Amino acid sequence: MSQSTYLNNFLNEVGHSVHCMNTIAVALSTLEKDTKVPIQLNISWDSKSIDKSTINSRRFAIKSSIVYCIESLFEYLTKVSKNPFWLTSKKSFTDSKTNNPKKQLSKAERTVRLLKDISTLEKEWIILVELLCHWRNKVVHANSSDANISSSSRQYLHSKETEIYDNYHHFSVSIALDNFNKNKFTLKDVTTLITIVIKCARKIDETFIIAMQNISYTDIINEINDIEFVNIKNQMPSDKKNRQLEKWLSINYNFLKQDTIDSIVNELKT
């Protein structure tokens, strides 16, 4: 199945950050005690301890990837849930209102709320994504963050520990939760959790596209409220208008079947 432009952008961003994190880890592993700064870098760097600098730099790269991944997830959820064809009755990710006017949902809470609306997601995936959201808060807010998953979520993860270990490259729930508690960052934890985030994003996109492809082309025409699309739609009939319509739909609704795109263009060309 094809994927939305929103998901394409998310995957590119997260894939880039993971590649950079792994590149940094590989480069750091080759540092030697007598390493000198290449003259072309033109920077000041004098490490008293290569081992300590390597550990700190690797930790920095891992923390950066956590933030990058979760912020990219927030951006994806914002854009896909703002689409006029987002799943019927499902709230936008940006809607943080609760029954208590004095309380607003955090981004982690909004993420969990949205993920729970996707029936194809495993419960442990949702909890692990929430865990990485909270890990992101530990990075951004440092010692002031008390972000955590609930005790019932922890118990559920422990109940699925063997299954998760077998299915996700020997990822240990117990070790990951202990590392979370101790504010410790490892490549194993983060790369596995990012993989789970990607799986969730793919399932969200799949659910969205299946629903979208069941909508009639006339309803699609009536509901798209993007200003660029509306401006093209309101142009006088011309071959240029037809080309612009097809190009816009192919870029922004690339997951639509070609015959649906053709029907929209044919409906609007006069």
Side-chain angles (χ1 to χ4, degrees), residues 186-200:
T186 72
L187 275 173
K188 179 69 175 178
D189 291 339
V190 173
T191 53
T192 304
L193 291 173
I194 288 177
T195 297
I196 300 297
V197 171
I198 291 172
K199 284 179 175 291
C200 286

Side-chain angles (χ1 to χ4, degrees), residues 208-223:
F208 167 62
I209 289 173
I210 289 173
M212 179 75 192
Q213 290 180 339
N214 288 322
I215 299 172
S216 70
Y217 75 85
T218 52
D219 285 339
I220 293 174
I221 293 171
N222 293 331
E223 290 297 326

Side-chain angles (χ1 to χ4, degrees), residues 6 9 15 20 61 73 77 81 93 143 154 173 178 181-183 213 216 236 245 260 265:
Y6 316 128
N9 293 338
C20 290
L73 175 65
L77 296 179
S81 69
F93 176 72
N143 297 329
R154 284 175 175 265
V173 165
D178 187 58
N181 291 337
K182 294 177 179 177
N183 210 24
Q213 290 180 339
S216 70
M236 296 294 290
L245 283 169
T260 301
V265 173

Side-chain angles (χ1 to χ4, degrees), residues 50-65:
I50 290 292
D51 290 341
K52 187 173 182 179
S53 292
T54 297
I55 291 170
N56 288 338
S57 298
R58 179 170 162 142
R59 176 183 168 91
F60 177 81
I62 294 170
K63 290 165 68 176
S64 299
S65 286

Side-chain angles (χ1 to χ4, degrees), residues 64-77:
S64 299
S65 286
I66 291 174
V67 175
Y68 209 94
C69 172
I70 294 302
E71 289 299 326
S72 296
L73 175 65
F74 292 160
E75 181 70 10
Y76 167 72
L77 296 179

